[in-house]
């Protein structure tokens, strides 16, 4: 399996509000940025969307070190997900996104690593900046 680094962040202007997400995939000397947004979303939804949309870009099974400043995403992936699956995501927030994550991640070996946000981590800062830009784009659309 190829070893890939994935850096992710999500942003919501209001919670809920206009949202944006960003993922940066790194393999060897290559880098790909995945970004987008939605008119109405929460921060946690955008955090998850960054992971999901980034994983969709991988064309073969990979060993992934996923770096995120979201405890929700990291703990969800590393600790809570197996129990959520057993319970069929009953009483879990964002079950549609978690189900989608399970589907897109099943061929990969994903390890989530928490990084402190807004603390000078270069890729996390880049993701944060790009995610906020996408959220602002959607806010401008809503504000008309």
């Amino acid at each position: 399996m190829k070893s890939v680094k994935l850096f992710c962040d999500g942003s919501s202007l209001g919670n809920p509000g206009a949202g944006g997400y960003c993922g940066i995939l790194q393999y060897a000397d290559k880098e790909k940025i995945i970004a987008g947004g939605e008119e109405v979303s929460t921060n946690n939804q955008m955090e998850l969307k960054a992971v999901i949309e980034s994983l969709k870009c991988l064309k073969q099974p990979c060993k992934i070190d996923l770096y995120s400043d979201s405890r929700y995403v990291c703990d969800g992936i590393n600790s809570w997900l197996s129990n959520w699956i057993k319970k069929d995501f009953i009483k879990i927030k964002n079950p549609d996104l978690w189900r989608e994550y399970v589907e897109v991640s099943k061929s990969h070996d994903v390890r989530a690593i928490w990084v402190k946000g807004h603390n000078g981590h270069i890729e996390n800062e880049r993701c944060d900046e790009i995610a906020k830009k996408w959220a602002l784009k959607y806010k401008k659309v809503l504000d008309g």
Side-chain angles (χ1 to χ4, degrees), residues 109-122:
D109 177 12
V110 180
R111 178 178 68 128
I113 301 155
W114 181 79
V115 297
K116 186 172 182 170
H118 313 288
N119 200 39
H121 187 282
I122 293 168

Side-chain angles (χ1 to χ4, degrees), residues 44-45 48 52 70-102:
N44 283 342
Q45 289 168 337
L48 265 172
I52 292 165
S70 169
R71 291 264 188 211
Y72 174 70
V73 167
C74 292
D75 290 343
I77 290 169
N78 292 336
S79 302
W80 306 330
L81 191 57
S82 59
N83 284 331
W84 290 349
I85 292 168
K86 288 177 192 172
K87 295 178 182 182
D88 196 29
F89 297 96
I90 293 173
K91 296 185 180 177
I92 302 302
K93 290 185 179 181
N94 307 306
D96 54 332
L97 289 171
W98 281 110
R99 284 187 180 99
E100 189 174 6
Y101 168 78
V102 168

Side-chain angles (χ1 to χ4, degrees), residues 2 32 35-36 59 66 106-107 125 134:
K2 290 181 179 178
K32 180 172 183 153
K59 296 176 178 25
L66 186 160
K106 66 183 174 186
S107 66
E125 298 289 343
W134 275 90

Side-chain angles (χ1 to χ4, degrees), residues 8-133:
C8 292
D9 201 14
S11 178
S12 178
L13 305 176
N15 210 11
Y21 64 85
C22 177
I24 299 174
L25 285 164
Q26 292 180 345
Y27 171 71
D29 63 344
K30 296 182 176 99
E31 180 175 277
K32 180 172 183 153
I33 296 174
I34 298 90
E38 295 180 2
E39 289 181 4
V40 179
S41 187
T42 67
N43 188 61
N44 283 342
Q45 289 168 337
M46 291 292 93
E47 296 277 1
L48 265 172
K49 196 76 169 169
V51 175
I52 292 165
E53 295 304 317
S54 297
L55 292 178
K56 286 180 180 178
C57 294
L58 298 173
K59 296 176 178 25
Q60 63 189 55
C62 297
K63 181 182 181 296
I64 301 162
D65 284 339
L66 186 160
Y67 297 86
S68 173
D69 63 7
S70 169
R71 291 264 188 211
Y72 174 70
V73 167
C74 292
D75 290 343
I77 290 169
N78 292 336
S79 302
W80 306 330
L81 191 57
S82 59
N83 284 331
W84 290 349
I85 292 168
K86 288 177 192 172
K87 295 178 182 182
D88 196 29
F89 297 96
I90 293 173
K91 296 185 180 177
I92 302 302
K93 290 185 179 181
N94 307 306
D96 54 332
L97 289 171
W98 281 110
R99 284 187 180 99
E100 189 174 6
Y101 168 78
V102 168
E103 188 61 31
V104 299
S105 68
K106 66 183 174 186
S107 66
H108 304 293
D109 177 12
V110 180
R111 178 178 68 128
I113 301 155
W114 181 79
V115 297
K116 186 172 182 170
H118 313 288
N119 200 39
H121 187 282
I122 293 168
E123 289 86 355
N124 181 259
E125 298 289 343
R126 287 175 61 206
C127 284
D128 180 67
E129 183 180 322
I130 293 167
K132 283 182 180 168
K133 283 181 183 176

